[in-house]
Amino acid sequence: MDKALEENLMGALENVIDPELGIDIVNLGLVYGVDVDENNTCTVTMTLTAMGCPLAGVIEQDVRRALADIPEVEEVNVNIVWNPPWTKDKMSRYAKIALGIPD
């Protein structure tokens, strides 16, 4: 996958807002990777801030919706992983400032 496509995908994922925190999933550090295979299937490997998150289904649907308009993507798989576990250290400086977390 070329860098421009990866940046396009990550940019689209910045429109997916965590409903509890009000910050996008990219700046929260929840997205660990994106890949598009030869069949134009995009796999998003990501985590959530906590196991058993009641809004996991909402976030997953939002991810699918955000990537639906990307011409190179025909199908989206969302792979939620728990390892490595998410910590606030994965957040961008922007997200930390928005949430009042010291850097």
Side-chain angles (χ1 to χ4, degrees):
M1 180 174 64
D2 67 27
K3 193 72 174 164
L5 177 56
E6 182 179 4
E7 287 176 9
N8 196 12
L9 294 168
M10 293 299 280
L13 291 174
E14 286 182 354
N15 293 310
V16 178
I17 305 298
D18 180 295
E20 290 181 309
L21 298 175
I23 305 289
D24 70 87
I25 63 173
V26 173
N27 277 293
L28 283 173
L30 299 179
V31 178
Y32 292 164
V34 292
D35 189 43
V36 177
D37 68 16
E38 64 279 352
N39 298 318
N40 294 337
T41 299
C42 178
T43 300
V44 179
T45 301
M46 61 176 292
T47 193
L48 300 169
T49 55
M51 281 182 131
C53 173
L55 297 169
V58 172
I59 293 172
E60 186 174 332
Q61 279 304 109
D62 288 350
V63 166
R64 292 179 194 284
R65 210 171 291 118
L67 298 177
D69 292 334
I70 308 285
E72 297 88 349
V73 175
E74 291 183 21
E75 186 178 338
V76 177
N77 292 326
V78 180
N79 182 24
I80 296 179
V81 298
W82 301 109
N83 219 356
W86 179 85
T87 65
K88 66 179 178 167
D89 296 334
K90 296 187 183 315
M91 295 169 59
S92 72
R93 187 167 184 274
Y94 160 78
K96 288 179 182 177
I97 290 169
L99 294 173
I101 296 172
D103 203 8

